[in-house]
Amino acid sequence: MKNTPQLYKYLFIIFLSSVFLQSCKTLETQKKANSMNSAMQLYRESIRWAEWPTVLSLYKPEPGNTDISPPQSHDLNMLKTIRITDVQKAGVNLNEEQTRAQTSIFIEYHLDNSNSIKSINHPMNWWYNDEFKTWYTSTPLPDFLNNAE
């Protein structure tokens, strides 16, 4: 059994390699989760302060989706008539691969021609773009004008 120390050396190298690979995977997963939180925060803050071009820049249909035209609710003139009073994060659910997420935000707002505060719960789907290392929502903005709440 002269080769026993050599065997332990190889086993130790294999063990260290597997620990290293798992650490890399964990770091990548954490980066995607942090990136999702940053994208959601940017989305919420942009809605809250009516930075509509920024909000719209976070909207992209998923690859393979044939509906590439922006929804009607993305009309900037209409969006300028909305006054957001509050935006709250209601939840985030990431899939195991960290490539898809379902989130929800609660928005309170009023229209320029009204003093009545309305609220809307806005569930959203997000997808991760590996090429650009960023998250996009594939969910259009809510229909603020026709919201009955």
Side-chain angles (χ1 to χ4, degrees):
M1 289 273 162
K2 293 195 260 186
N3 292 334
T4 302
Q6 189 98 14
L7 177 63
Y8 288 137
K9 180 179 176 182
Y10 289 129
L11 288 174
F12 184 70
I13 290 171
I14 290 171
F15 172 75
L16 285 180
S17 297
S18 66
V19 169
F20 177 73
L21 290 174
Q22 184 60 37
S23 296
C24 289
K25 184 177 179 182
T26 301
L27 286 174
E28 184 63 27
T29 299
Q30 189 61 42
K31 279 173 127 177
K32 283 184 180 178
N34 288 343
S35 178
M36 174 72 238
N37 287 332
S38 295
M40 270 297 297
Q41 182 174 352
L42 177 61
Y43 191 90
R44 284 192 324 270
E45 289 175 359
S46 297
I47 283 183
R48 174 60 182 98
W49 302 111
E51 296 170 359
W52 299 113
T54 302
V55 172
L56 297 178
S57 74
L58 292 169
Y59 169 80
K60 279 194 192 314
E62 288 189 62
N65 186 342
T66 56
D67 179 25
I68 57 171
S69 61
Q72 294 275 349
S73 61
H74 290 186
D75 176 12
L76 284 175
N77 289 327
M78 182 277 300
L79 292 173
K80 290 177 184 177
T81 68
I82 299 166
R83 299 292 172 246
I84 306 296
T85 59
D86 192 27
V87 179
Q88 297 293 320
K89 179 169 80 171
V92 176
N93 290 318
L94 285 158
N95 70 350
E96 191 173 316
E97 297 82 21
Q98 307 274 318
T99 57
R100 302 269 185 278
Q102 288 79 41
T103 66
S104 187
I105 57 175
F106 183 76
I107 305 168
E108 289 186 344
Y109 68 99
H110 68 89
L111 303 176
D112 270 350
N113 60 357
S114 171
N115 291 329
S116 174
I117 299 288
K118 295 183 176 192
S119 61
I120 192 165
N121 183 32
H122 183 48
M124 300 165 58
N125 293 312
W126 292 80
W127 62 278
Y128 186 74
N129 183 312
D130 275 323
E131 180 182 350
F132 297 111
K133 306 289 187 218
T134 191
W135 287 89
Y136 294 104
T137 181
S138 58
T139 306
L141 286 168
D143 186 357
F144 292 105
L145 296 180
N146 295 316
N147 179 30
E149 288 185 40

